[in-house]
Amino acid sequence: MDFKHIGKSIEDFMSTVDGRRKGTIRSLRTSLNKLNKHTMNGIPWNRIITLAGRSGSGKSLFLEQLKRDFCDLNKDQKFDVLSFEFEMLSTDQVARNVSGNLDVSTKHLYSADQNTITDAEYDHIGKVADKLKYYPIYYVDESGTPDEIYQTVMRFAEYRKLKENNKGLVVTIDHALLCRGKQGESEKSVIDSLCKTMIRLKKKFDAAGMKIIIIMVSQLNRDIESPDRVMNPKLHYPGRSDIFGSSAIFFASDYVFVIHKPASMEGLVALNSGYGPSGYPLNNKENPDQAHIYLHILKERFGSNAILLLLDNFKRSRIDEYFAPKKAA
């Protein structure tokens, strides 16, 4: 193990401060200005982010949106994306990207909505899909152990010559619970190992003067849907203990986000009293058929926690910002 004097750390700190004030060091911006505001004008480099949620809450969709945003909105930065797809097929992730770009549903892309894709539409879809080839995204479809993930990332960095080309790397894992462990190893032990391995990976890149962002997708426990919590508005919001393997995740992560769709919880809908102590709406008042998405920032290492009010646009493979209508003068 190497060691260094505090002077070197101070030198690195001042270099980062100087780079950010001059704009030579920038975060990766997203299409959600509220999220950019509550982070560091986007997702900063050399950070670990955990994104958790219930099944069907849109966490995998949101992760794909982030990758798309990174590529579309940060073309002045050089980086690759290495995406470990342990849950969905990479072809279905491509479908989500095409859906988001074309503003049509994935069902329509697959001719599953009673409207078969025409030849003209097929040609247009092909042109959009071809443009996606220029996204610097690489998929890993095979599940692996935390150590195998580490070794794959290091081999990828060497293969793409990231250090030599001064390129950053975004690593995404969807999702953490599907990492393989040793025979008989518990899911919690696997999460603990994964978190420690991701810290090791972040430190390895930083020590080498390289840039990395790691985003892990995780799951909420079922307790958040219990009748006791549904009946008590003070217990509606997801907290630290609701995330599976929370101790390791909170220890490892610089940011912890929980994406939540209370309108999908039958108990809350039946109660009809809103979400949380403030009675936040479950659905968009301007469009009652559209559900609200709440992004809870449970950990922000360099800022404060927050709840961001967003909109469900899952049909178009994205989550939109919500802006309350302006009151008439």
Side-chain angles (χ1 to χ4, degrees), residues 38-312:
H38 282 280
T39 49
M40 284 191 175
N41 297 322
I43 306 299
W45 289 100
N46 293 341
R47 298 291 183 262
I48 297 174
I49 298 97
T50 294
L51 173 65
R54 297 168 57 245
S55 294
S57 62
K59 54 188 182 297
S60 295
L61 179 148
F62 185 49
L63 176 62
E64 201 64 25
Q65 178 175 329
L66 287 178
K67 289 186 282 186
R68 195 162 61 240
D69 287 350
F70 292 163
C71 296
D72 289 339
L73 303 179
N74 301 276
K75 294 180 179 178
D76 55 344
Q77 297 196 53
K78 296 193 300 181
F79 60 91
D80 285 339
V81 179
L82 185 59
S83 184
F84 290 87
E85 298 295 336
F86 295 162
E87 183 176 30
M88 293 182 61
L89 295 174
S90 57
T91 50
D92 286 335
Q93 297 292 28
V94 170
R96 279 180 167 173
N97 277 315
V98 173
S99 169
N101 276 276
L102 283 177
D103 196 29
V104 299
S105 69
T106 52
K107 272 194 169 186
H108 183 62
L109 291 176
Y110 287 138
S111 297
D113 61 355
Q114 309 304 317
N115 294 307
T116 303
I117 291 291
T118 65
D119 289 344
E121 284 180 299
Y122 177 77
D123 290 340
H124 185 45
I125 291 168
K127 291 177 182 178
V128 172
D130 281 342
K131 291 181 181 179
L132 299 181
K133 291 180 181 178
Y134 298 98
Y135 279 1
I137 297 177
Y138 296 78
Y139 291 112
V140 179
D141 281 322
E142 183 182 358
S143 180
T145 65
D147 186 62
E148 287 171 338
I149 293 172
Y150 180 92
Q151 297 302 331
T152 300
V153 171
M154 297 310 296
R155 282 193 288 107
F156 180 82
E158 184 178 353
Y159 163 69
R160 293 290 292 164
K161 294 181 169 51
L162 298 183
K163 184 173 177 61
E164 295 88 332
N165 294 320
N166 193 30
K167 294 178 72 174
L169 178 63
V170 177
V171 173
T172 67
I173 301 172
D174 188 9
H175 64 68
L177 279 174
L178 296 178
C179 287
R180 287 194 291 106
K182 300 174 183 176
Q183 185 69 31
E185 189 175 14
S186 69
E187 288 182 327
K188 184 181 182 305
S189 294
V190 175
I191 294 293
D192 290 348
S193 177
L194 177 65
C195 289
K196 290 176 182 177
T197 302
M198 292 305 100
I199 293 175
R200 177 186 169 204
L201 189 59
K202 181 179 77 168
K203 293 276 191 176
K204 180 76 172 180
F205 267 65
D206 184 63
M210 301 168 68
K211 299 186 300 183
I212 191 170
I213 292 172
I214 300 167
I215 306 177
M216 301 184 293
V217 171
S218 190
Q219 190 80 15
L220 291 188
N221 301 318
R222 295 293 300 272
D223 180 65
I224 197 166
E225 302 177 52
S226 69
D228 288 344
R229 293 189 62 169
V230 169
M231 295 300 294
N232 187 347
K234 294 181 180 180
L235 302 178
H236 285 178
Y237 298 158
R240 173 175 180 152
S241 61
D242 290 310
I243 301 175
F244 188 87
S246 61
S247 295
I249 282 173
F250 270 79
F251 173 74
S253 302
D254 299 288
Y255 295 92
V256 177
F257 303 148
V258 173
I259 191 165
H260 200 37
K261 183 180 176 181
S264 67
M265 299 175 64
E266 294 181 2
L268 280 180
V269 174
L271 197 60
N272 195 31
S273 61
Y275 176 53
S278 299
Y280 288 136
L282 303 186
N283 295 86
N284 182 4
K285 293 181 179 179
E286 290 76 52
N287 180 9
D289 292 330
Q290 185 177 36
H292 276 301
I293 300 295
Y294 291 88
L295 186 67
H296 293 258
I297 302 178
L298 299 189
K299 180 180 180 181
E300 212 280 70
R301 197 180 291 277
F302 305 100
S304 57
N305 297 352
I307 302 175
L308 308 186
L309 180 57
L310 307 170
L311 287 171
D312 173 350

